[in-house]
Structure formats: C-alpha cells, structure tokens
Amino acid sequence: MANPQMVMYDEEFKQINSVIEKLLKEANAKVIFLVDKNGQLISGVGETERFDTTSLASLTAGNIAATGGMAKLIGEKEFSILFHEGEKDNLHISIVGGRVILVVLFDSRSSLGLVRLRVKKASDELTIIFGGLLKKAEEKEKSGDTDFPFAEITDDDIDNLFS
Amino acid sequence: MSFINYASREINCKIVYYGPGLCGKTTNLQFVYQKTAPDAKGKMISLATETERTLFFDFLPLALGEIRGFKTRFHLYTVPGQVFYDASRKLILKGVDGVVFVADSQEERMDANIESLENLRVNLQEQGYELDKLPFVVQYNKRDLPSVLPVDNLRKELNPTNVPDFEACATTGEGVFETLKAVAKLILVDLKQGK
C-alpha cells in the first residue's frame, strides 16, 4: 500500500494535544488543528466550535496537495509552509514530519513572525511524537497485536449502519 | 488509508467517485447530501467553476453510526471528470480507501468511459495502489436516457472482473445509495480483514 495505516492512540493523542495547546497560547492563535495529508482531521484546539473543522481539514489537505503538485512541476520537493492573509484572520499552514499538516488560525492579536517562530519549535516536538506513533503502529502490526476492534465485526454490524 | 483514532474512537474512510466528465459524480453526492439526516452529515463543499463543472473536488463527510463503539465516518470525494484536469485527479486519489466508478450509460459516451477507467488504473498505480485490490464498485448512470447501451455491453467493457455493479439515475436518486452502501461495505470488510 502507498501509505501505512494512520492510527492514533490515547497516549500520543494526549501528547499531541498538549503540544498544540501550548502552541495556541504561545502563538496567541485562535484555533490550531492537525490534519493528515489525506484530509482526515487528527485533532484541534482553541475555538474549534466556531469553525467547520472537517471541511477545513479536507480543503487544507487539498490545498497542500495542489501546492505540492505545483512544487514538483518546478522541481521542488514540496512547499512546506503556506500563508493565507485575510482582512481579519490569517492561516499559517505547514507540513510536519512530511506527513501531517499543522494549521494555525490567528488574527491581529498575533503576528506572522511570532506564529512562524512558535510553529517551528512545536513542529520539532510533533515530528518526534508522530515518528514514534508510526513506529508503534508498525510494531503492533508486525507482532499481530493490533487489538483492532473491527476484526470481530459481523455482516450484521455492517448492515445495521445502513438501516 | 483509513484513519483509526483510538483516542476519540473514530474510524475515517475515504471514498472517491471517479468517471468521465458529466457522468453524474457530483449529482450522486448531491443526492446523498439531500437524503441524509442533518445530524449525520457535514457541509457539502463543491469547488466548481461558474458553469458548475467540478474544478478540483466535491467533498461530503458522512457519519454513518457506530460499529463496536467506534464512530464510522466516510468522506466522499469526487474528481473533476474533464480530461485536462488529470493533475488534480491524481491528488484526490491520495489515501483512498474505496472507489466508485460512475459510467455514463449513453452510447456516445462509451469511449469516454473506457478512457476514464484506464486513467483511474494508471493514476492509482502512480500512488502505489492496484484497482483490482481496492474496494471498487461500478455504477451505470443515466439509465433513464433514451440512447443508453444495454447493461451487459457496459459490463463487458467496464467491469470485466465482476465487482458489484448498479444501474442508477442519480438525478432521481435511483441506485445512488445502493452504490454507496456496496463500496462502504467492501471497505469495512477490508478493514475487518486487517488489510
């Protein structure tokens, strides 16, 4: 398969959330969320209820994919940082550890410089956590110890979803 | 690939609707959107031109319910069907868990169907997937139109491996949920087998 399965466990989820919570405070941001490159929302902190984070996640991934395609066409590996400036709110989008997208939404209470600085530090921490997560998932898969809840689903379970 | 979150007890899967231009991919999603209860769906996003041709993709998140305590979510995407949007189509296939090929049943669109299916195969290979190993279903759309080919002819060309296939009329919704259900089921069975 093209990519290993993305799996998230409690322990890493907490670690990740504490990193982005800290980033939220230090960068004076409104919302921060993490998205898988395939468009799946991993986690979000801040005023998330004010925004449609599922749609934002999907469009962010599309955005990163499109700019990645542009990068390849001009001979770059990727564009690792994108910045969108609005009248009030701005988006800082960056790729973490080659696989995950970190999105920071901020307004005039913060600044691009501050966000960039804090994102850099948080990215290093997140890269380590996601690296460990990937290894853990691979090891679990190798040892066959997946404790995967779907191994025991029945056809009835699946049919019930559509009833 | 599906994303399994043990922390929030969620499973997210990605389904892509593929097919030639104007075959009805977006119409499929629109019908699903209209007929789904508000609490089970998110906003439908369409990145389209002013003439309503899909420019990048349509996106519809669906929450189907729980299996064994895990919320099961499907993210439905369409690709732009027009030939020259190939670069965009490749991007949307990233991380796909299941594919629906929407064929236009009209006789004059047969070549476009075949070209699009071949394009799907090639683009999947570029991402490291094989169509024959993915959850895959075929929909013969526009069965209500006068110049349609018999299903057997379409099947011979577009579904030689005999994956589940369905006749549909996406504007009235006929066959739309049957198609979605079939691909979702194949994805869940794959997950069950730990693929």
Side-chain angles (χ1 to χ4, degrees):
Chain A
M1 275 293 164
N3 273 316
Q5 181 111 39
M6 180 84 173
V7 181
M8 176 65 66
Y9 300 101
D10 268 328
E11 190 190 346
E12 283 79 6
F13 194 65
K14 280 185 193 135
Q15 290 173 358
I16 286 164
N17 277 339
S18 84
V19 172
I20 55 176
E21 288 274 9
K22 195 171 78 185
L23 177 60
L24 185 80
K25 277 195 207 108
E26 290 184 349
N28 239 345
K30 284 167 96 169
V31 179
I32 294 181
F33 57 99
L34 277 166
V35 184
D36 167 45
K37 269 194 175 174
N38 300 333
Q40 321 271 20
L41 180 70
I42 297 171
S43 184
V45 295
E47 305 165 27
T48 46
E49 68 291 337
R50 283 188 47 213
F51 300 92
D52 178 355
T53 44
T54 311
S55 298
L56 271 170
S58 154
L59 290 172
T60 303
N63 195 349
I64 282 284
T67 45
M70 283 159 64
K72 287 209 178 68
L73 288 176
I74 63 161
E76 279 290 324
K77 193 172 144 256
E78 63 184 12
F79 295 125
S80 53
I81 295 177
L82 308 178
F83 175 57
H84 301 307
E85 189 177 304
E87 273 181 16
K88 288 195 209 108
D89 292 330
N90 314 293
L91 280 175
H92 183 283
I93 301 172
S94 56
I95 301 174
V96 174
R99 162 126 205 206
V100 182
I101 306 164
L102 175 66
V103 183
V104 180
L105 193 153
F106 65 98
D107 60 15
S108 57
R109 287 172 293 175
S110 184
S111 70
L112 179 58
L114 179 67
V115 170
R116 281 192 77 149
L117 183 74
R118 301 300 191 203
V119 161
K120 199 160 186 288
K121 198 174 133 219
S123 290
D124 293 340
E125 292 172 39
L126 289 172
T127 303
I128 295 169
I129 300 170
F130 277 103
L133 190 64
L134 211 61
K135 224 184 238 166
K136 189 166 164 181
E138 271 169 22
E139 276 166 14
K140 283 211 175 199
E141 200 179 320
K142 257 187 219 155
S143 65
D145 164 34
T146 54
D147 55 22
F148 185 50
F150 268 34
E152 283 161 25
I153 52 168
T154 60
D155 283 357
D156 284 346
D157 285 334
I158 296 175
D159 285 335
N160 283 340
L161 272 186
F162 296 95
S163 54
Chain B
M1 287 304 286
S2 52
F3 169 38
I4 304 166
N5 191 333
Y6 286 91
S8 55
R9 301 191 75 75
E10 281 179 12
I11 295 186
N12 292 316
C13 305
K14 178 171 177 176
I15 299 173
V16 175
Y17 283 69
Y18 213 92
L22 294 175
C23 71
K25 302 173 289 292
T26 301
T27 312
N28 261 274
L29 254 65
Q30 281 166 343
F31 186 80
V32 172
Y33 181 75
Q34 284 163 17
K35 292 290 164 190
T36 308
D39 58 336
K41 68 185 176 195
K43 217 171 138 191
M44 179 164 167
I45 302 239
S46 283
L47 303 179
T49 65
E50 280 173 14
T51 51
E52 295 191 6
R53 301 298 303 268
T54 303
L55 183 61
F56 195 5
F57 58 78
D58 304 306
F59 169 68
L60 175 60
L62 281 186
L64 280 187
E66 290 195 2
I67 291 189
R68 308 266 155 158
F70 272 70
K71 282 181 218 128
T72 312
R73 292 180 202 277
F74 287 93
H75 290 175
L76 276 44
Y77 286 82
T78 66
V79 298
Q82 295 175 84
V83 175
F84 61 91
Y85 286 132
D86 199 36
S88 303
R89 273 195 294 278
K90 285 180 196 177
L91 301 174
I92 295 150
L93 285 174
K94 275 188 186 170
V96 64
D97 293 298
V99 180
V100 174
F101 184 81
V102 182
D104 188 328
S105 299
Q106 298 176 92
E107 193 173 2
E108 61 269 28
R109 296 299 286 162
M110 196 58 195
D111 288 345
N113 288 329
I114 293 171
E115 188 185 354
S116 176
L117 185 62
E118 185 52 33
N119 177 257
L120 169 63
R121 247 175 227 290
V122 171
N123 284 345
L124 280 171
Q125 267 165 8
E126 269 181 40
Q127 312 276 348
Y129 296 104
E130 263 182 76
L131 181 60
D132 298 333
K133 290 189 181 157
L134 269 180
F136 176 53
V137 302
V138 178
Q139 179 186 84
Y140 311 114
N141 195 21
K142 308 199 185 184
R143 296 309 297 170
D144 57 321
L145 294 185
S147 64
V148 295
L149 287 167
V151 169
D152 280 348
N153 294 23
L154 290 160
R155 189 174 281 140
K156 210 173 127 201
E157 293 286 352
L158 304 173
N159 188 10
T161 53
N162 243 333
V163 297
D165 54 5
F166 302 89
E167 293 184 50
C169 171
T171 46
T172 62
E174 200 191 321
V176 168
F177 273 97
E178 288 80 353
T179 311
L180 173 62
K181 226 166 152 173
V183 73
K185 199 165 173 179
L186 288 177
I187 292 172
L188 293 171
V189 170
D190 253 22
L191 273 174
K192 178 180 169 181
Q193 290 164 352
K195 277 188 192 166

